[in-house]
Amino acid sequence: MFSLRFNKEAPVYEQLVNHIKRMIIKRVLLPDEKMPSVRELARQLTLNPNTIQKAYRELEHQGYIYSLPGKGSYVKENDDIQSEAYVENLYSQFNQIVLELLHMNESKDDIKKYVDEVESRIKEGN
């Protein structure tokens, strides 16, 4: 279920967060489905358990998973993830970032190039 090829462009925990978020959004991981334990996933991905724990904490903070003490982590029921309001909020955040980059004299072409690179990494599974 979790096979990742990590790159050096982002911290490993961040890449793991993004991968799990994609799996939740695409409904590969379903609401109330139990996530692998920290130790189990660390062993499977040959990562430090602290990296997995940090990713799980971030996913919980962002509202993608929830934890039950002594029982583990589970995918959170969240219809808001694919709602129009959620997408609109993401575009609003993106708009703010683009404006800030333009104010910092980044070119429109460089911003487009970056978006294209992100899309390529997603298609490659990173």
Side-chain angles (χ1 to χ4, degrees):
M1 179 188 297
F2 288 90
S3 61
L4 299 169
R5 287 178 291 153
F6 295 106
N7 63 53
K8 296 178 182 176
E9 297 173 19
V12 171
Y13 88 92
E14 193 175 289
Q15 293 176 59
L16 182 58
V17 166
N18 291 332
H19 180 75
I20 293 171
K21 283 168 56 173
R22 277 194 306 273
M23 292 177 72
I24 292 170
I25 289 168
K26 291 180 177 184
R27 300 280 196 205
V28 174
L29 295 172
L30 299 171
D32 297 318
E33 183 175 339
K34 188 173 186 333
M35 299 289 295
S37 72
V38 169
R39 287 183 184 174
E40 179 185 336
L41 192 54
R43 195 170 33 253
Q44 183 180 348
L45 298 176
T46 61
L47 293 174
N48 186 312
N50 292 333
T51 301
I52 308 298
Q53 186 64 44
K54 186 173 183 177
Y56 277 19
R57 272 195 311 270
E58 182 61 26
L59 287 162
E60 190 164 357
H61 175 74
Q62 292 182 22
Y64 285 88
I65 66 173
Y66 64 94
S67 296
L68 296 175
K71 295 194 185 252
S73 296
Y74 297 82
V75 176
K76 189 173 181 182
E77 173 69 55
N78 196 344
D79 292 331
D80 293 339
I81 290 174
Q82 295 190 351
S83 73
E84 285 184 41
Y86 182 77
V87 172
E88 191 174 308
N89 181 45
L90 289 175
Y91 272 116
S92 176
Q93 291 175 40
F94 180 71
N95 188 41
Q96 287 301 115
I97 291 167
V98 169
L99 284 172
E100 192 168 332
L101 287 167
L102 290 172
H103 286 298
M104 295 173 69
N105 295 321
E106 291 294 317
S107 74
K108 184 170 75 172
D109 289 337
D110 284 343
I111 295 168
K112 285 180 179 179
K113 180 180 173 188
Y114 182 79
V115 170
D116 290 342
E117 289 171 4
V118 170
E119 182 183 36
S120 292
R121 287 196 309 264
I122 289 170
K123 288 179 180 177
E124 293 171 1
N126 292 324

PDB file of all heavy atoms in Angstrom, residues 62-97:
ATOM      1  N   GLN A  62      -3.921  18.672  10.140  1.00  0.00           N
ATOM      2  CA  GLN A  62      -4.602  19.131   8.930  1.00  0.00           C
ATOM      3  C   GLN A  62      -6.008  18.544   8.784  1.00  0.00           C
ATOM      4  O   GLN A  62      -6.737  18.901   7.865  1.00  0.00           O
ATOM      5  CB  GLN A  62      -3.772  18.795   7.690  1.00  0.00           C
ATOM      6  CG  GLN A  62      -2.490  19.582   7.599  1.00  0.00           C
ATOM      7  CD  GLN A  62      -1.708  19.265   6.336  1.00  0.00           C
ATOM      8  OE1 GLN A  62      -2.248  18.789   5.342  1.00  0.00           O
ATOM      9  NE2 GLN A  62      -0.411  19.536   6.366  1.00  0.00           N
ATOM     10  N   GLY A  63      -6.380  17.624   9.675  1.00  0.00           N
ATOM     11  CA  GLY A  63      -7.727  17.078   9.659  1.00  0.00           C
ATOM     12  C   GLY A  63      -7.945  15.884   8.749  1.00  0.00           C
ATOM     13  O   GLY A  63      -9.084  15.556   8.417  1.00  0.00           O
ATOM     14  N   TYR A  64      -6.883  15.202   8.359  1.00  0.00           N
ATOM     15  CA  TYR A  64      -7.023  14.041   7.483  1.00  0.00           C
ATOM     16  C   TYR A  64      -7.157  12.729   8.249  1.00  0.00           C
ATOM     17  O   TYR A  64      -7.722  11.764   7.743  1.00  0.00           O
ATOM     18  CB  TYR A  64      -5.842  13.944   6.516  1.00  0.00           C
ATOM     19  CG  TYR A  64      -5.918  14.956   5.406  1.00  0.00           C
ATOM     20  CD1 TYR A  64      -5.386  16.227   5.560  1.00  0.00           C
ATOM     21  CD2 TYR A  64      -6.541  14.648   4.209  1.00  0.00           C
ATOM     22  CE1 TYR A  64      -5.470  17.168   4.543  1.00  0.00           C
ATOM     23  CE2 TYR A  64      -6.628  15.575   3.181  1.00  0.00           C
ATOM     24  CZ  TYR A  64      -6.093  16.833   3.359  1.00  0.00           C
ATOM     25  OH  TYR A  64      -6.184  17.757   2.359  1.00  0.00           O
ATOM     26  N   ILE A  65      -6.589  12.678   9.446  1.00  0.00           N
ATOM     27  CA  ILE A  65      -6.686  11.468  10.258  1.00  0.00           C
ATOM     28  C   ILE A  65      -7.010  11.872  11.692  1.00  0.00           C
ATOM     29  O   ILE A  65      -6.904  13.047  12.063  1.00  0.00           O
ATOM     30  CB  ILE A  65      -5.396  10.609  10.211  1.00  0.00           C
ATOM     31  CG1 ILE A  65      -4.215  11.326  10.859  1.00  0.00           C
ATOM     32  CG2 ILE A  65      -5.076  10.176   8.785  1.00  0.00           C
ATOM     33  CD1 ILE A  65      -2.953  10.462  10.993  1.00  0.00           C
ATOM     34  N   TYR A  66      -7.398  10.874  12.490  1.00  0.00           N
ATOM     35  CA  TYR A  66      -7.609  11.086  13.920  1.00  0.00           C
ATOM     36  C   TYR A  66      -7.005   9.909  14.656  1.00  0.00           C
ATOM     37  O   TYR A  66      -6.827   8.828  14.086  1.00  0.00           O
ATOM     38  CB  TYR A  66      -9.089  11.267  14.261  1.00  0.00           C
ATOM     39  CG  TYR A  66      -9.959  10.060  13.979  1.00  0.00           C
ATOM     40  CD1 TYR A  66     -10.227   9.130  14.975  1.00  0.00           C
ATOM     41  CD2 TYR A  66     -10.512   9.861  12.714  1.00  0.00           C
ATOM     42  CE1 TYR A  66     -11.032   8.017  14.722  1.00  0.00           C
ATOM     43  CE2 TYR A  66     -11.316   8.758  12.452  1.00  0.00           C
ATOM     44  CZ  TYR A  66     -11.575   7.844  13.459  1.00  0.00           C
ATOM     45  OH  TYR A  66     -12.371   6.747  13.201  1.00  0.00           O
ATOM     46  N   SER A  67      -6.668  10.126  15.923  1.00  0.00           N
ATOM     47  CA  SER A  67      -6.051   9.081  16.721  1.00  0.00           C
ATOM     48  C   SER A  67      -6.946   8.706  17.883  1.00  0.00           C
ATOM     49  O   SER A  67      -7.614   9.566  18.469  1.00  0.00           O
ATOM     50  CB  SER A  67      -4.711   9.556  17.283  1.00  0.00           C
ATOM     51  OG  SER A  67      -3.805   9.803  16.239  1.00  0.00           O
ATOM     52  N   LEU A  68      -6.949   7.431  18.194  1.00  0.00           N
ATOM     53  CA  LEU A  68      -7.616   6.926  19.386  1.00  0.00           C
ATOM     54  C   LEU A  68      -6.525   6.349  20.280  1.00  0.00           C
ATOM     55  O   LEU A  68      -5.831   5.408  19.864  1.00  0.00           O
ATOM     56  CB  LEU A  68      -8.636   5.844  19.030  1.00  0.00           C
ATOM     57  CG  LEU A  68      -9.824   6.283  18.172  1.00  0.00           C
ATOM     58  CD1 LEU A  68     -10.679   5.082  17.794  1.00  0.00           C
ATOM     59  CD2 LEU A  68     -10.646   7.324  18.912  1.00  0.00           C
ATOM     60  N   PRO A  69      -6.339   6.930  21.471  1.00  0.00           N
ATOM     61  CA  PRO A  69      -5.267   6.460  22.355  1.00  0.00           C
ATOM     62  C   PRO A  69      -5.324   4.939  22.571  1.00  0.00           C
ATOM     63  O   PRO A  69      -6.370   4.383  22.877  1.00  0.00           O
ATOM     64  CB  PRO A  69      -5.531   7.218  23.662  1.00  0.00           C
ATOM     65  CG  PRO A  69      -6.272   8.449  23.229  1.00  0.00           C
ATOM     66  CD  PRO A  69      -7.114   8.010  22.067  1.00  0.00           C
ATOM     67  N   GLY A  70      -4.195   4.307  22.333  1.00  0.00           N
ATOM     68  CA  GLY A  70      -4.081   2.873  22.526  1.00  0.00           C
ATOM     69  C   GLY A  70      -4.636   2.044  21.378  1.00  0.00           C
ATOM     70  O   GLY A  70      -4.507   0.821  21.377  1.00  0.00           O
ATOM     71  N   LYS A  71      -5.270   2.685  20.413  1.00  0.00           N
ATOM     72  CA  LYS A  71      -5.876   1.941  19.306  1.00  0.00           C
ATOM     73  C   LYS A  71      -5.247   2.263  17.958  1.00  0.00           C
ATOM     74  O   LYS A  71      -5.318   1.471  17.036  1.00  0.00           O
ATOM     75  CB  LYS A  71      -7.369   2.206  19.245  1.00  0.00           C
ATOM     76  CG  LYS A  71      -8.102   1.696  20.465  1.00  0.00           C
ATOM     77  CD  LYS A  71      -9.581   1.663  20.218  1.00  0.00           C
ATOM     78  CE  LYS A  71     -10.300   1.280  21.479  1.00  0.00           C
ATOM     79  NZ  LYS A  71     -10.848  -0.035  21.450  1.00  0.00           N
ATOM     80  N   GLY A  72      -4.685   3.448  17.804  1.00  0.00           N
ATOM     81  CA  GLY A  72      -4.034   3.800  16.554  1.00  0.00           C
ATOM     82  C   GLY A  72      -4.649   5.005  15.868  1.00  0.00           C
ATOM     83  O   GLY A  72      -5.441   5.744  16.449  1.00  0.00           O
ATOM     84  N   SER A  73      -4.270   5.182  14.609  1.00  0.00           N
ATOM     85  CA  SER A  73      -4.735   6.308  13.804  1.00  0.00           C
ATOM     86  C   SER A  73      -5.679   5.812  12.722  1.00  0.00           C
ATOM     87  O   SER A  73      -5.490   4.716  12.178  1.00  0.00           O
ATOM     88  CB  SER A  73      -3.547   7.026  13.162  1.00  0.00           C
ATOM     89  OG  SER A  73      -2.719   7.581  14.161  1.00  0.00           O
ATOM     90  N   TYR A  74      -6.668   6.649  12.404  1.00  0.00           N
ATOM     91  CA  TYR A  74      -7.708   6.294  11.446  1.00  0.00           C
ATOM     92  C   TYR A  74      -7.949   7.444  10.483  1.00  0.00           C
ATOM     93  O   TYR A  74      -7.755   8.608  10.830  1.00  0.00           O
ATOM     94  CB  TYR A  74      -9.018   5.979  12.181  1.00  0.00           C
ATOM     95  CG  TYR A  74      -8.905   4.781  13.087  1.00  0.00           C
ATOM     96  CD1 TYR A  74      -8.365   4.901  14.367  1.00  0.00           C
ATOM     97  CD2 TYR A  74      -9.315   3.528  12.662  1.00  0.00           C
ATOM     98  CE1 TYR A  74      -8.246   3.806  15.200  1.00  0.00           C
ATOM     99  CE2 TYR A  74      -9.200   2.421  13.493  1.00  0.00           C
ATOM    100  CZ  TYR A  74      -8.667   2.565  14.761  1.00  0.00           C
ATOM    101  OH  TYR A  74      -8.544   1.479  15.574  1.00  0.00           O
ATOM    102  N   VAL A  75      -8.416   7.102   9.291  1.00  0.00           N
ATOM    103  CA  VAL A  75      -8.756   8.112   8.293  1.00  0.00           C
ATOM    104  C   VAL A  75     -10.031   8.818   8.755  1.00  0.00           C
ATOM    105  O   VAL A  75     -11.003   8.175   9.135  1.00  0.00           O
ATOM    106  CB  VAL A  75      -8.979   7.469   6.899  1.00  0.00           C
ATOM    107  CG1 VAL A  75      -9.425   8.514   5.886  1.00  0.00           C
ATOM    108  CG2 VAL A  75      -7.708   6.773   6.439  1.00  0.00           C
ATOM    109  N   LYS A  76      -9.984  10.126   8.717  1.00  0.00           N
ATOM    110  CA  LYS A  76     -11.118  10.929   9.166  1.00  0.00           C
ATOM    111  C   LYS A  76     -12.155  11.059   8.055  1.00  0.00           C
ATOM    112  O   LYS A  76     -11.810  11.247   6.888  1.00  0.00           O
ATOM    113  CB  LYS A  76     -10.625  12.313   9.581  1.00  0.00           C
ATOM    114  CG  LYS A  76     -11.662  13.164  10.257  1.00  0.00           C
ATOM    115  CD  LYS A  76     -11.034  14.433  10.780  1.00  0.00           C
ATOM    116  CE  LYS A  76     -12.059  15.284  11.493  1.00  0.00           C
ATOM    117  NZ  LYS A  76     -11.457  16.535  11.964  1.00  0.00           N
ATOM    118  N   GLU A  77     -13.423  10.965   8.425  1.00  0.00           N
ATOM    119  CA  GLU A  77     -14.525  11.224   7.488  1.00  0.00           C
ATOM    120  C   GLU A  77     -14.501  12.717   7.218  1.00  0.00           C
ATOM    121  O   GLU A  77     -14.623  13.522   8.127  1.00  0.00           O
ATOM    122  CB  GLU A  77     -15.865  10.823   8.109  1.00  0.00           C
ATOM    123  CG  GLU A  77     -17.069  11.206   7.288  1.00  0.00           C
ATOM    124  CD  GLU A  77     -17.191  10.412   6.008  1.00  0.00           C
ATOM    125  OE1 GLU A  77     -17.195   9.178   6.071  1.00  0.00           O
ATOM    126  OE2 GLU A  77     -17.269  11.036   4.934  1.00  0.00           O
ATOM    127  N   ASN A  78     -14.296  13.082   5.966  1.00  0.00           N
ATOM    128  CA  ASN A  78     -14.180  14.499   5.678  1.00  0.00           C
ATOM    129  C   ASN A  78     -14.641  14.794   4.263  1.00  0.00           C
ATOM    130  O   ASN A  78     -13.854  14.821   3.330  1.00  0.00           O
ATOM    131  CB  ASN A  78     -12.730  14.954   5.878  1.00  0.00           C
ATOM    132  CG  ASN A  78     -12.609  16.450   5.968  1.00  0.00           C
ATOM    133  OD1 ASN A  78     -13.523  17.185   5.600  1.00  0.00           O
ATOM    134  ND2 ASN A  78     -11.479  16.913   6.452  1.00  0.00           N
ATOM    135  N   ASP A  79     -15.929  15.007   4.121  1.00  0.00           N
ATOM    136  CA  ASP A  79     -16.471  15.351   2.808  1.00  0.00           C
ATOM    137  C   ASP A  79     -16.020  16.735   2.366  1.00  0.00           C
ATOM    138  O   ASP A  79     -16.102  17.061   1.192  1.00  0.00           O
ATOM    139  CB  ASP A  79     -17.997  15.290   2.820  1.00  0.00           C
ATOM    140  CG  ASP A  79     -18.495  13.866   2.977  1.00  0.00           C
ATOM    141  OD1 ASP A  79     -17.788  12.942   2.533  1.00  0.00           O
ATOM    142  OD2 ASP A  79     -19.579  13.679   3.553  1.00  0.00           O
ATOM    143  N   ASP A  80     -15.536  17.534   3.318  1.00  0.00           N
ATOM    144  CA  ASP A  80     -15.083  18.889   2.986  1.00  0.00           C
ATOM    145  C   ASP A  80     -13.878  18.871   2.064  1.00  0.00           C
ATOM    146  O   ASP A  80     -13.626  19.834   1.351  1.00  0.00           O
ATOM    147  CB  ASP A  80     -14.717  19.666   4.247  1.00  0.00           C
ATOM    148  CG  ASP A  80     -15.926  19.948   5.120  1.00  0.00           C
ATOM    149  OD1 ASP A  80     -17.054  19.912   4.586  1.00  0.00           O
ATOM    150  OD2 ASP A  80     -15.739  20.203   6.318  1.00  0.00           O
ATOM    151  N   ILE A  81     -13.106  17.785   2.078  1.00  0.00           N
ATOM    152  CA  ILE A  81     -11.869  17.724   1.290  1.00  0.00           C
ATOM    153  C   ILE A  81     -12.149  17.948  -0.187  1.00  0.00           C
ATOM    154  O   ILE A  81     -11.393  18.611  -0.866  1.00  0.00           O
ATOM    155  CB  ILE A  81     -11.146  16.380   1.516  1.00  0.00           C
ATOM    156  CG1 ILE A  81     -10.588  16.326   2.924  1.00  0.00           C
ATOM    157  CG2 ILE A  81     -10.028  16.185   0.509  1.00  0.00           C
ATOM    158  CD1 ILE A  81      -9.992  14.996   3.297  1.00  0.00           C
ATOM    159  N   GLN A  82     -13.253  17.405  -0.690  1.00  0.00           N
ATOM    160  CA  GLN A  82     -13.530  17.544  -2.112  1.00  0.00           C
ATOM    161  C   GLN A  82     -14.655  18.533  -2.393  1.00  0.00           C
ATOM    162  O   GLN A  82     -15.140  18.611  -3.511  1.00  0.00           O
ATOM    163  CB  GLN A  82     -13.856  16.178  -2.713  1.00  0.00           C
ATOM    164  CG  GLN A  82     -12.652  15.265  -2.654  1.00  0.00           C
ATOM    165  CD  GLN A  82     -12.818  13.994  -3.442  1.00  0.00           C
ATOM    166  OE1 GLN A  82     -13.881  13.682  -3.926  1.00  0.00           O
ATOM    167  NE2 GLN A  82     -11.740  13.250  -3.574  1.00  0.00           N
ATOM    168  N   SER A  83     -15.014  19.324  -1.403  1.00  0.00           N
ATOM    169  CA  SER A  83     -16.089  20.288  -1.608  1.00  0.00           C
ATOM    170  C   SER A  83     -15.590  21.500  -2.392  1.00  0.00           C
ATOM    171  O   SER A  83     -14.390  21.778  -2.457  1.00  0.00           O
ATOM    172  CB  SER A  83     -16.644  20.752  -0.261  1.00  0.00           C
ATOM    173  OG  SER A  83     -15.718  21.617   0.368  1.00  0.00           O
ATOM    174  N   GLU A  84     -16.532  22.220  -2.985  1.00  0.00           N
ATOM    175  CA  GLU A  84     -16.173  23.433  -3.727  1.00  0.00           C
ATOM    176  C   GLU A  84     -15.522  24.457  -2.814  1.00  0.00           C
ATOM    177  O   GLU A  84     -14.586  25.145  -3.221  1.00  0.00           O
ATOM    178  CB  GLU A  84     -17.423  24.024  -4.381  1.00  0.00           C
ATOM    179  CG  GLU A  84     -17.898  23.260  -5.581  1.00  0.00           C
ATOM    180  CD  GLU A  84     -19.086  23.927  -6.250  1.00  0.00           C
ATOM    181  OE1 GLU A  84     -19.089  25.171  -6.369  1.00  0.00           O
ATOM    182  OE2 GLU A  84     -20.002  23.197  -6.654  1.00  0.00           O
ATOM    183  N   ALA A  85     -16.008  24.566  -1.577  1.00  0.00           N
ATOM    184  CA  ALA A  85     -15.449  25.540  -0.637  1.00  0.00           C
ATOM    185  C   ALA A  85     -13.988  25.221  -0.335  1.00  0.00           C
ATOM    186  O   ALA A  85     -13.158  26.128  -0.248  1.00  0.00           O
ATOM    187  CB  ALA A  85     -16.265  25.571   0.651  1.00  0.00           C
ATOM    188  N   TYR A  86     -13.674  23.954  -0.188  1.00  0.00           N
ATOM    189  CA  TYR A  86     -12.301  23.554   0.094  1.00  0.00           C
ATOM    190  C   TYR A  86     -11.386  23.898  -1.081  1.00  0.00           C
ATOM    191  O   TYR A  86     -10.307  24.457  -0.902  1.00  0.00           O
ATOM    192  CB  TYR A  86     -12.238  22.048   0.401  1.00  0.00           C
ATOM    193  CG  TYR A  86     -10.855  21.554   0.748  1.00  0.00           C
ATOM    194  CD1 TYR A  86     -10.305  21.798   2.008  1.00  0.00           C
ATOM    195  CD2 TYR A  86     -10.090  20.852  -0.170  1.00  0.00           C
ATOM    196  CE1 TYR A  86      -9.034  21.356   2.333  1.00  0.00           C
ATOM    197  CE2 TYR A  86      -8.821  20.406   0.144  1.00  0.00           C
ATOM    198  CZ  TYR A  86      -8.302  20.662   1.393  1.00  0.00           C
ATOM    199  OH  TYR A  86      -7.039  20.226   1.715  1.00  0.00           O
ATOM    200  N   VAL A  87     -11.842  23.567  -2.285  1.00  0.00           N
ATOM    201  CA  VAL A  87     -11.058  23.866  -3.489  1.00  0.00           C
ATOM    202  C   VAL A  87     -10.893  25.377  -3.633  1.00  0.00           C
ATOM    203  O   VAL A  87      -9.803  25.869  -3.949  1.00  0.00           O
ATOM    204  CB  VAL A  87     -11.717  23.244  -4.746  1.00  0.00           C
ATOM    205  CG1 VAL A  87     -11.030  23.719  -6.012  1.00  0.00           C
ATOM    206  CG2 VAL A  87     -11.679  21.722  -4.655  1.00  0.00           C
ATOM    207  N   GLU A  88     -11.952  26.118  -3.371  1.00  0.00           N
ATOM    208  CA  GLU A  88     -11.886  27.577  -3.446  1.00  0.00           C
ATOM    209  C   GLU A  88     -10.870  28.117  -2.445  1.00  0.00           C
ATOM    210  O   GLU A  88     -10.097  29.034  -2.755  1.00  0.00           O
ATOM    211  CB  GLU A  88     -13.270  28.151  -3.160  1.00  0.00           C
ATOM    212  CG  GLU A  88     -13.391  29.629  -3.457  1.00  0.00           C
ATOM    213  CD  GLU A  88     -14.822  30.109  -3.299  1.00  0.00           C
ATOM    214  OE1 GLU A  88     -15.727  29.506  -3.896  1.00  0.00           O
ATOM    215  OE2 GLU A  88     -15.003  31.104  -2.564  1.00  0.00           O
ATOM    216  N   ASN A  89     -10.838  27.540  -1.253  1.00  0.00           N
ATOM    217  CA  ASN A  89      -9.871  27.955  -0.236  1.00  0.00           C
ATOM    218  C   ASN A  89      -8.444  27.675  -0.706  1.00  0.00           C
ATOM    219  O   ASN A  89      -7.541  28.498  -0.507  1.00  0.00           O
ATOM    220  CB  ASN A  89     -10.155  27.248   1.089  1.00  0.00           C
ATOM    221  CG  ASN A  89      -9.195  27.673   2.174  1.00  0.00           C
ATOM    222  OD1 ASN A  89      -8.912  28.853   2.354  1.00  0.00           O
ATOM    223  ND2 ASN A  89      -8.697  26.708   2.908  1.00  0.00           N
ATOM    224  N   LEU A  90      -8.230  26.527  -1.341  1.00  0.00           N
ATOM    225  CA  LEU A  90      -6.896  26.217  -1.861  1.00  0.00           C
ATOM    226  C   LEU A  90      -6.470  27.221  -2.924  1.00  0.00           C
ATOM    227  O   LEU A  90      -5.322  27.678  -2.943  1.00  0.00           O
ATOM    228  CB  LEU A  90      -6.855  24.793  -2.428  1.00  0.00           C
ATOM    229  CG  LEU A  90      -6.909  23.663  -1.412  1.00  0.00           C
ATOM    230  CD1 LEU A  90      -6.977  22.317  -2.127  1.00  0.00           C
ATOM    231  CD2 LEU A  90      -5.718  23.700  -0.477  1.00  0.00           C
ATOM    232  N   TYR A  91      -7.414  27.567  -3.819  1.00  0.00           N
ATOM    233  CA  TYR A  91      -7.092  28.565  -4.845  1.00  0.00           C
ATOM    234  C   TYR A  91      -6.798  29.927  -4.218  1.00  0.00           C
ATOM    235  O   TYR A  91      -5.922  30.657  -4.692  1.00  0.00           O
ATOM    236  CB  TYR A  91      -8.217  28.689  -5.877  1.00  0.00           C
ATOM    237  CG  TYR A  91      -8.090  27.715  -7.018  1.00  0.00           C
ATOM    238  CD1 TYR A  91      -9.037  26.729  -7.219  1.00  0.00           C
ATOM    239  CD2 TYR A  91      -7.011  27.767  -7.895  1.00  0.00           C
ATOM    240  CE1 TYR A  91      -8.928  25.830  -8.269  1.00  0.00           C
ATOM    241  CE2 TYR A  91      -6.889  26.873  -8.941  1.00  0.00           C
ATOM    242  CZ  TYR A  91      -7.845  25.904  -9.124  1.00  0.00           C
ATOM    243  OH  TYR A  91      -7.728  25.017 -10.164  1.00  0.00           O
ATOM    244  N   SER A  92      -7.484  30.253  -3.162  1.00  0.00           N
ATOM    245  CA  SER A  92      -7.232  31.515  -2.469  1.00  0.00           C
ATOM    246  C   SER A  92      -5.818  31.537  -1.896  1.00  0.00           C
ATOM    247  O   SER A  92      -5.094  32.528  -2.019  1.00  0.00           O
ATOM    248  CB  SER A  92      -8.265  31.714  -1.358  1.00  0.00           C
ATOM    249  OG  SER A  92      -7.977  32.871  -0.627  1.00  0.00           O
ATOM    250  N   GLN A  93      -5.420  30.410  -1.270  1.00  0.00           N
ATOM    251  CA  GLN A  93      -4.061  30.309  -0.734  1.00  0.00           C
ATOM    252  C   GLN A  93      -3.034  30.379  -1.859  1.00  0.00           C
ATOM    253  O   GLN A  93      -1.993  31.036  -1.730  1.00  0.00           O
ATOM    254  CB  GLN A  93      -3.897  29.001   0.033  1.00  0.00           C
ATOM    255  CG  GLN A  93      -4.690  28.941   1.321  1.00  0.00           C
ATOM    256  CD  GLN A  93      -4.573  27.562   1.951  1.00  0.00           C
ATOM    257  OE1 GLN A  93      -3.522  26.939   1.960  1.00  0.00           O
ATOM    258  NE2 GLN A  93      -5.685  27.076   2.485  1.00  0.00           N
ATOM    259  N   PHE A  94      -3.323  29.689  -2.948  1.00  0.00           N
ATOM    260  CA  PHE A  94      -2.429  29.694  -4.112  1.00  0.00           C
ATOM    261  C   PHE A  94      -2.286  31.111  -4.650  1.00  0.00           C
ATOM    262  O   PHE A  94      -1.185  31.560  -4.974  1.00  0.00           O
ATOM    263  CB  PHE A  94      -2.985  28.745  -5.186  1.00  0.00           C
ATOM    264  CG  PHE A  94      -2.138  28.666  -6.428  1.00  0.00           C
ATOM    265  CD1 PHE A  94      -0.907  28.037  -6.416  1.00  0.00           C
ATOM    266  CD2 PHE A  94      -2.581  29.220  -7.615  1.00  0.00           C
ATOM    267  CE1 PHE A  94      -0.130  27.957  -7.562  1.00  0.00           C
ATOM    268  CE2 PHE A  94      -1.811  29.141  -8.770  1.00  0.00           C
ATOM    269  CZ  PHE A  94      -0.587  28.512  -8.739  1.00  0.00           C
ATOM    270  N   ASN A  95      -3.406  31.824  -4.727  1.00  0.00           N
ATOM    271  CA  ASN A  95      -3.406  33.209  -5.196  1.00  0.00           C
ATOM    272  C   ASN A  95      -2.487  34.078  -4.335  1.00  0.00           C
ATOM    273  O   ASN A  95      -1.686  34.858  -4.868  1.00  0.00           O
ATOM    274  CB  ASN A  95      -4.837  33.753  -5.189  1.00  0.00           C
ATOM    275  CG  ASN A  95      -4.931  35.108  -5.836  1.00  0.00           C
ATOM    276  OD1 ASN A  95      -4.316  35.355  -6.860  1.00  0.00           O
ATOM    277  ND2 ASN A  95      -5.701  35.988  -5.229  1.00  0.00           N
ATOM    278  N   GLN A  96      -2.570  33.923  -3.037  1.00  0.00           N
ATOM    279  CA  GLN A  96      -1.724  34.698  -2.120  1.00  0.00           C
ATOM    280  C   GLN A  96      -0.248  34.382  -2.349  1.00  0.00           C
ATOM    281  O   GLN A  96       0.595  35.276  -2.365  1.00  0.00           O
ATOM    282  CB  GLN A  96      -2.108  34.412  -0.672  1.00  0.00           C
ATOM    283  CG  GLN A  96      -3.415  35.029  -0.251  1.00  0.00           C
ATOM    284  CD  GLN A  96      -3.406  36.534  -0.402  1.00  0.00           C
ATOM    285  OE1 GLN A  96      -4.154  37.073  -1.204  1.00  0.00           O
ATOM    286  NE2 GLN A  96      -2.569  37.219   0.334  1.00  0.00           N
ATOM    287  N   ILE A  97       0.056  33.120  -2.550  1.00  0.00           N
ATOM    288  CA  ILE A  97       1.442  32.710  -2.772  1.00  0.00           C
ATOM    289  C   ILE A  97       1.962  33.277  -4.087  1.00  0.00           C
ATOM    290  O   ILE A  97       3.075  33.809  -4.150  1.00  0.00           O
ATOM    291  CB  ILE A  97       1.562  31.175  -2.732  1.00  0.00           C
ATOM    292  CG1 ILE A  97       1.311  30.677  -1.310  1.00  0.00           C
ATOM    293  CG2 ILE A  97       2.914  30.703  -3.244  1.00  0.00           C
ATOM    294  CD1 ILE A  97       1.103  29.183  -1.192  1.00  0.00           C
TER     295      ILE A  97
END
